[in-house]
Amino acid sequence: MSTTIPSGKDIKRKWYVLDASGKTLGRLATQAASVLAGKTNPLYTPYIDMGDHVVIINAEKIVLTGLKSDQKLYRRYTGFPGGLREESFIKLLARRPEAIVEQAVKGMLPKSKLGRQMATKLKVYKGAQHPHLAQQPVAMDFHASNAPKVLTSKVMVPTHPAHHLEG
């Protein structure tokens, strides 16, 4: 029995398509980041870029839960003194929805040369069309329920009178 150490030359990269319509931003981003990092590959090695290509479509239909869509701010720095710019989620979604998804996925990748290399395999598009049909991408689906689970529990009502301690 021997341990297989993969080489960078032996990697067969696949292409996957994720549809973002109606999906929660964080759940979609974690799925995309794990595919980009290669964690779904059985030969995963942390120091080699084993990831596959991910194409995310319908970025303008991404959703956030709770009040995050009203409160979330995106900050960037222009490089000039006093150049800190803030933009709300709603305005950025109207202007550049791809940037929201890209930033969420890149934030879940390693902060190194390897992480930047992994991020080059991410392609995000505003609508349902993408130019990667020649690569024959496979549609990837995952369970991303936006609704919390409803637990059916009965209210516990005591059948005998409660004994209160008076002190």
Side-chain angles (χ1 to χ4, degrees):
M1 179 172 243
S2 65
T3 303
T4 304
I5 305 293
S7 169
K9 302 170 197 161
D10 305 332
I11 302 169
K12 304 283 190 279
R13 300 200 192 279
K14 299 176 192 137
W15 284 73
Y16 294 104
V17 175
L18 283 171
D19 190 3
S21 55
K23 300 286 193 314
T24 307
L25 177 62
R27 292 179 187 270
L28 177 85
T30 53
Q31 184 72 18
S34 66
V35 173
L36 288 170
K39 293 196 172 186
T40 58
N41 192 334
L43 295 176
Y44 170 71
T45 308
Y47 55 86
I48 298 177
D49 183 10
M50 301 285 296
D52 298 321
H53 295 270
V54 176
V55 178
I56 298 177
I57 56 173
N58 293 322
E60 78 275 359
K61 296 178 183 173
I62 199 84
V63 294
L64 294 178
T65 58
L67 299 174
K68 289 190 227 65
S69 58
D70 299 329
Q71 299 170 350
K72 193 165 178 63
L73 292 175
Y74 288 89
R75 292 181 181 92
R76 60 187 172 84
Y77 182 62
T78 64
F80 291 97
L84 183 65
R85 302 287 184 253
E86 284 186 348
E87 193 170 10
S88 68
F89 172 79
I90 296 169
K91 286 184 181 178
L92 189 58
L93 186 66
R95 189 173 66 87
R96 267 191 71 213
E98 311 91 27
I100 292 172
V101 178
E102 283 174 9
Q103 188 172 344
V105 174
K106 286 180 183 177
M108 295 181 183
L109 292 174
K111 280 47 168 195
S112 62
K113 285 188 212 178
L114 186 62
R116 287 188 291 277
Q117 177 61 38
M118 291 172 184
T120 60
K121 297 189 301 290
L122 174 67
K123 314 291 182 201
V124 183
Y125 297 100
K126 189 177 192 175
Q129 302 298 322
H130 63 86
H132 305 287
L133 294 174
Q135 284 75 25
Q136 299 171 347
V138 177
M140 180 183 245
D141 194 27
F142 63 98
H143 178 68
S145 174
N146 293 332
K149 288 185 180 179
V150 178
L151 299 175
T152 56
S153 65
K154 296 179 183 177
V155 177
M156 300 292 277
V157 179
T159 55
H160 61 281
H163 299 286
H164 297 289
L165 296 175
E166 296 178 11

